[in-house]
Amino acid sequence: MKTKREIDHAVALLKKKGDPGSLVQAEVLTGRHDEKWVFNRYVNVPESEKDEAMFFAARDAAQYLAGKIGLDALIPGAVEPDVKSNPKRILPEDEEQIVVSRRTLTNLLQRINRLERLVGVRKVAMKLKHKPLTESVPADLISQADALRKLGCGKSTIKRWASKGLIKGYVQNDRVSYSLSELYASEVVKEYLETKEFTDNIK
C-alpha cells in the first residue's frame, strides 16, 4: 500500500496531465479504490456504459495503490518523491527533510557540545572511565592534587589521560585518586616526564 505522500504526489502529476485517463486515475487514487471497485465501475455495467480505455487506466491506478506497480508504470517518466536524492528512502508524511550547509552543521554540533558540557554529560562519561575502589586497591593511592604536584602537569592533562584509558583513576566518594606506581609505569606519563625534563634542561 502506498503512503499518503506518494499518493498525493501521483495525484498532482495526473491532474497536471489533465487528459481523461489521467483524471480517472486521479479519481481512483483520491478515493483509495481497489480493483474490485474498478471492475464494478467499468465492467459490471450496461454495455453502452463500458469504456475499455478508462477501465485499464483505472485498473492501473488501483494496482499502483496496492503496490503492484510503480509510479513509472502508472505515469511513464515520473519518479517517486525524493527518489532521485535518496532512492532507498521515502520520507514519512510527518517528517520533513532540512538541508543545511556544512558551516551551519558545524556550528550546531559545537553548540551541542557546549550544552553537553553545561549539563554535565561529558563529566558523567569521564567518571565512567574511572574504576571504583575495591578490596584489591593499590596501597600507594594518592589524591588527584598530589598526582598533579608530583607529575607537574595540569588537571586537564591528567583527566584527558584518564578519559582515554591511558591511566587508571580510582573513585571514592566522588573523589579521584591515582596509584603512584601505576602513574610512573604508564607510557604516557613516562613520555610526558621525559619531554618535561628535556624542556626544563633547555631553559
Side-chain angles (χ1 to χ4, degrees), residues 57 75 83-84 90 94 119 142 146 154 168-169 173 181:
I75 311 171
V83 165
K84 285 185 176 178
I90 294 176
D94 59 345
V119 299
I142 58 175
D146 288 338
K168 292 180 183 178
N173 299 327
S181 59

Side-chain angles (χ1 to χ4, degrees), residues 2 9-10 13-14 17 19 21-22 25 29 53 56-80 83:
K2 297 294 182 179
H9 177 66
L13 293 176
L14 290 167
K17 288 182 67 176
D19 60 275
S22 296
Q25 290 175 330
L29 296 183
F56 285 114
R59 185 205 60 183
D60 288 347
Q63 288 184 347
Y64 172 76
L65 270 177
K68 294 180 179 179
I69 62 174
L71 185 62
D72 187 55
L74 182 67
I75 311 171
V79 293
E80 301 284 7
V83 165

Side-chain angles (χ1 to χ4, degrees), residues 9-130:
H9 177 66
V11 168
L13 293 176
L14 290 167
K15 287 184 176 180
K16 187 175 180 180
K17 288 182 67 176
D19 60 275
S22 296
L23 295 178
V24 165
Q25 290 175 330
E27 177 191 2
V28 173
L29 296 183
T30 303
R32 308 297 197 268
H33 299 309
D34 57 16
E35 290 183 73
K36 183 178 179 181
W37 182 91
V38 171
F39 182 84
N40 290 331
R41 173 71 176 78
Y42 292 98
V43 178
N44 196 17
V45 294
E47 196 66 31
S48 59
E49 297 179 17
K50 289 182 179 180
D51 189 325
E52 187 175 334
M54 293 301 106
F55 163 72
F56 285 114
R59 185 205 60 183
D60 288 347
Q63 288 184 347
Y64 172 76
L65 270 177
K68 294 180 179 179
I69 62 174
L71 185 62
D72 187 55
L74 182 67
I75 311 171
V79 293
E80 301 284 7
D82 300 316
V83 165
K84 285 185 176 178
S85 59
N86 192 352
K88 294 184 178 179
R89 178 173 181 264
I90 294 176
L91 296 174
E93 70 176 283
D94 59 345
E95 183 179 346
E96 293 184 12
Q97 186 178 37
I98 300 174
V99 179
V100 297
S101 66
R102 183 181 295 276
R103 182 177 179 181
T104 301
L105 178 61
T106 300
N107 289 337
L108 287 172
L109 292 175
Q110 289 175 348
R111 289 185 181 184
I112 291 172
N113 287 336
R114 286 196 293 270
L115 287 172
E116 285 180 346
R117 288 196 295 270
L118 184 63
V119 299
V121 172
R122 294 201 167 185
K123 184 177 180 181
V124 172
M126 187 170 289
K127 282 187 176 180
L128 294 177
K129 298 284 185 180
H130 300 311

